Amino acid sequence: MGLDRAASIEDLRLRARRRIPRFAFDLVDGGAESEHNLRRNSAAFEEISLTPRYMRDVARIDTRAGLFGQTFDLPFGMAPIGMLNAFWPDADLILARLCKRENIPYVASSAASTTLERLAEAAEGNGWFQLYVSGDEAVTESLVARAEAAQYPVMMVTADVPAAGKRDRDIRNQLSVPFRFTPEVLVQLALNPVWSLASLQHGKPNIANYADLLQSATSYADVQKTLITPGFTWEHLERLRDRWKGRLLVKGILHADDAVRCADIGCDGIVVSNHGGRQVAFGPATVDVLPDIAAALDGRIRIILDSGIRRGADFMRAKALGADFAFSGRALAYGVGAGGAAGAQRAMDILKLELVRAMGQLGATSFDAIDAAARTPPTT
Ligand SMILES: Cc1cc2nc3c(=O)[nH]c(=O)nc-3n(C[C@H](O)[C@H](O)[C@H](O)COP(=O)(O)O)c2cc1C
């Protein structure tokens, strides 16, 4: 199926699956253990119904959303994704440029395959930075200082990786550091010549921000230790709040009490996220915990939501349940995998078209005005 016939994000996902060797596709597509959380995320969205209101003039639809002093053209941005160039060569830059063009935020991951400086340049003022707190304080400080020098206005620190997620697909695929060309991998490369040639041209992807540090890594455990620490606590967050002069968000919040503590510490917002179901299989879907969190925060700080968004209407559902803004991770990534820059644009166009049509159907002329009143009342 050609790109122009892809009608949904799922169509793009299936197209990406046909073009990418399995070990690289699974790296992005997979979730933790049984993948229950991954499935629960999207299923929970589908369970939320909003009731359309008719005979309102919806000839003009305003999808803009204001956040941290900027007005974005759409109510969502690109979530941080590590090592995405392994999925499709140059994916990071393709998405950073797309976000600039569409005037939405692009979040550069600490673990991106492109340096934070290059991504800040490509996103031209629409870039935010995502921080992993390392076990080595000097590593964390160096990233924060670099993000500051690159003039990122917003930094989000990821809280939901006290331990690396256990992803069974990656274990089965024998993903290792340094990368090993097993006979199975060689067969997958031969079966996907477009990906293999493009990857050959662009060179082996790495975690660019830590390239020097990781040169000596001989195991996945080494990489994990450089990137994350089980010792990340509220005291670290307080120190980061003092250190970072820009807006500070905490990503990976699932409990109302944690959300309130982030507000008490002086953070500017939270991202209600379960890492797209990649960390734990037993956790809740983000939309299921969102109303409690929104009630507890009562408007004190901004709420962004991600994990499981696959349809334009999901942005409206998240807004009706209490979020101000959303992130898409895999939805846009699948677009890149399905067709490089053109595929990323296709994914963006699908989400946009779906959102605008859904807002018209709902009777909502402005995204900002969507609130709990749109939810279908419970039947008694
Ligand atoms: C392959 C992959 C890598 C990711 N890497 C990071 C990362 O480096 N930092 C981070 O905070 N979140 C990371 N995430 C989580 C995303 O930022 C986001 O929370 C998630 O993708 C949202 O779910 P969705 O993919 O269903 O939209 C990653 C997600 C995927 C799929």
Side-chain angles (χ1 to χ4, degrees):
M1 185 202 291
L3 263 185
D4 52 338
R5 287 183 59 197
S8 65
I9 296 299
E10 178 61 13
D11 286 350
L12 292 172
R13 174 180 171 272
L14 294 176
R15 191 176 147 93
R17 196 172 67 176
R18 285 194 298 273
R19 286 159 45 97
I20 298 174
R22 204 183 60 220
F23 69 88
F25 181 78
D26 282 350
L27 188 68
V28 168
D29 192 59
E33 297 185 344
S34 61
E35 302 191 342
H36 256 85
N37 204 199
L38 179 69
R39 289 191 294 277
R40 198 177 287 132
N41 280 338
S42 300
F45 268 111
E46 285 176 355
E47 286 305 310
I48 298 160
S49 69
L50 307 177
T51 306
R53 300 293 304 275
Y54 296 116
M55 288 168 284
R56 296 169 167 182
D57 180 356
V58 291
R60 291 165 74 97
I61 299 274
D62 183 357
T63 58
R64 286 175 306 171
L67 202 61
F68 308 132
Q70 266 178 288
T71 302
F72 297 108
D73 285 355
L74 294 164
F76 63 94
M78 175 67 206
I81 293 203
M83 281 290 280
L84 195 57
N85 287 7
F87 189 61
W88 196 262
D90 246 5
D92 290 341
L93 287 173
I94 288 173
L95 288 168
R97 290 180 188 131
L98 174 70
C99 289
K100 175 65 196 170
R101 255 193 338 269
E102 298 287 338
N103 186 29
I104 61 170
Y106 169 84
V107 190
S109 161
S110 276
S113 12
T114 310
T115 62
L116 64 93
E117 288 82 5
R118 278 193 79 193
L119 289 172
E121 219 177 277
E124 292 177 61
N126 279 39
W128 296 359
F129 179 66
Q130 175 267 324
L131 178 76
Y132 275 135
V133 171
S134 165
D136 180 342
E137 289 211 12
V139 172
T140 311
E141 169 51 32
S142 136
L143 279 181
V144 173
R146 284 171 62 188
E148 195 170 50
Q151 298 186 334
Y152 281 100
V154 180
M155 182 168 84
M156 69 178 62
V157 53
T158 298
D160 62 5
V161 285
K166 174 174 171 277
R167 292 189 278 272
D168 293 359
R169 292 200 218 181
D170 294 348
I171 296 171
R172 279 185 216 114
N173 289 332
Q174 293 187 284
L175 278 194
S176 63
V177 175
F179 187 73
R180 272 201 321 268
F181 287 95
T182 59
E184 207 180 314
V185 164
L186 291 173
V187 172
Q188 290 176 30
L189 294 179
L191 290 172
N192 296 277
V194 176
W195 184 95
S196 302
L197 280 175
S199 299
L200 208 65
Q201 268 169 8
H202 282 83
K204 208 156 93 181
N206 63 1
I207 301 182
N209 288 323
Y210 310 83
D212 296 344
L213 281 169
L214 292 177
Q215 233 164 28
S216 52
T218 53
S219 69
Y220 204 57
D222 280 356
V223 176
Q224 298 289 355
K225 239 175 32 209
T226 305
L227 256 64
I228 60 172
T229 173
F232 178 49
T233 63
W234 292 102
E235 286 69 41
H236 279 91
L237 183 62
E238 282 171 15
R239 286 206 296 278
L240 271 176
R241 179 60 291 187
D242 285 344
R243 167 72 182 82
W244 179 258
K245 301 300 170 225
R247 312 279 186 165
L248 185 67
L249 313 183
V250 183
K251 176 169 183 280
I253 295 295
L254 293 170
H255 196 288
D257 292 352
D258 288 349
V260 168
R261 196 156 172 187
C262 290
D264 290 344
I265 286 175
C267 297
D268 300 281
I270 52 163
V271 185
V272 177
S273 169
N274 58 29
H275 222 103
R278 292 169 65 78
Q279 282 304 108
V280 294
F282 56 78
T286 50
V287 277
D288 287 342
V289 294
L290 176 61
D292 261 7
I293 291 177
L297 282 176
D298 196 21
R300 288 175 66 195
I301 56 174
R302 308 309 294 268
I303 303 174
I304 303 174
L305 179 131
D306 76 19
S307 300
I309 289 174
R310 300 290 181 272
R311 291 282 182 185
D314 294 342
F315 301 119
M316 300 191 325
R317 289 170 161 132
K319 182 74 165 63
L321 266 65
D324 299 297
F325 203 80
F327 282 131
S328 156
R330 293 187 188 81
L332 294 174
Y334 289 140
V336 184
Q345 186 67 58
R346 183 77 187 167
M348 180 62 73
D349 291 346
I350 288 171
L351 290 177
K352 262 197 306 200
L353 176 84
E354 287 181 350
L355 173 63
V356 169
R357 293 223 182 153
M359 283 178 63
Q361 300 285 4
L362 185 68
T365 48
S366 115
F367 186 80
D368 259 356
I370 299 173
D371 61 16
R375 293 183 66 180
T376 304
T379 48
T380 46

